[in-house]
């Protein structure tokens, strides 16, 4: 909400690997909802501090369960992060009730966007040139998403979390 109301820059990433406690929590959640052969995405927060009555630092807290693919470019980002095709995975589950699609090499896939109202330290072309080998998507955001997500987006595939942070800092650095 702050990103929209305060017109902040947006960034997020798809992790290279799912932590085992989160994987188990996700599987239990799907089972509890009786989900079978559906595209579903679950949203959890990871607590960054102890919150009495909610959990301890590092715990996962459920936000929502959605019986649909994640919004925006997230399915594409999952594909890039896991060298796969999530829609083929879904089709395998619906048609064959089994996974027939292999994942490839894992990466981090990071998204960072900019707003036209700000002046950034690095130009659009500098971002494109610096990340040309890792840049998976680079485009103007559709008007429908721009209030929430900014006007210009960059999505890259990277090997380390340090590279993710460096990318986000580079894209969002202001003059």
């Amino acid at each position: 909400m702050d990103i929209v109301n305060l017109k902040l820059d947006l960034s997020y990433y798809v992790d290279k690997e799912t932590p085992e406690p989160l994987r188990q929590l996700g599987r239990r959640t799907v089972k509890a909802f009786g989900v079978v052969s559906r595209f579903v995405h679950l949203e959890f927060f990871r607590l960054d501090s102890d919150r009495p009555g909610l959990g301890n630092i590092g715990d996962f807290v459920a936000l929502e369960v959605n019986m649909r693919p994640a919004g925006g470019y997230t399915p594409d980002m999952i594909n890039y992060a896991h060298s796969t095709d999530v829609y083929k995975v879904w089709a395998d589950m619906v048609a064959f009730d089994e996974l027939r699609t292999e994942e490839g090499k894992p990466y981090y896939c990071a998204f960072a966007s900019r707003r036209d109202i700000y002046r950034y330290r690095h130009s659009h072309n500098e971002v494109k040139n610096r990340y040309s080998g890792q840049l998976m998507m680079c485009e103007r955001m559709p008007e429908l998403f721009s209030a929430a997500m900014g006007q210009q987006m960059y999505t890259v595939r990277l090997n380390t979390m340090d590279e993710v942070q460096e990318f986000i800092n580079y894209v969002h650095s202001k003059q």
Side-chain angles (χ1 to χ4, degrees), residues 22 25 29 40-46 60-66 68-71:
L22 181 59
L25 183 58
T29 302
V40 60
H41 83 273
L42 314 172
E43 296 181 21
F44 296 88
F45 285 109
R46 184 173 230 172
F60 293 100
V61 178
L63 174 63
E64 56 185 57
V65 173
N66 300 279
R68 60 173 174 75

Side-chain angles (χ1 to χ4, degrees), residues 46-153:
R46 184 173 230 172
L47 297 178
D48 60 2
S49 62
D50 291 344
R51 308 257 179 185
L54 192 56
N56 297 318
I57 189 169
D59 287 349
F60 293 100
V61 178
L63 174 63
E64 56 185 57
V65 173
N66 300 279
M67 301 300 169
R68 60 173 174 75
Y73 296 103
T74 304
D76 299 299
M77 292 175 65
I78 294 167
N79 288 341
Y80 299 139
H82 298 285
S83 304
T84 193
D85 180 342
V86 294
Y87 294 105
K88 171 89 171 68
V89 170
W90 181 30
D92 287 348
M93 296 306 299
V94 170
F96 308 114
D97 199 30
E98 67 182 21
L99 181 62
R100 295 184 173 184
T101 304
E102 295 289 323
E103 286 188 2
K105 180 183 177 189
Y107 297 90
Y108 290 93
C109 186
F111 171 101
S113 63
R114 292 176 162 184
R115 296 185 181 275
D116 291 346
I117 60 173
Y118 298 122
R119 293 188 59 192
Y120 294 91
R121 177 170 289 131
H122 307 287
S123 73
H124 173 68
N125 285 335
E126 287 174 322
V127 173
K128 285 175 35 178
N129 289 337
R130 179 167 178 163
Y131 291 97
S132 64
Q134 298 102 347
L135 196 60
M136 306 306 290
M137 298 173 71
C138 173
E139 62 185 57
R140 297 291 290 175
M141 291 297 292
E143 189 63 32
L144 175 66
F145 300 128
S146 65
M149 300 182 77
Q151 287 77 36
Q152 179 64 48
M153 64 83 85

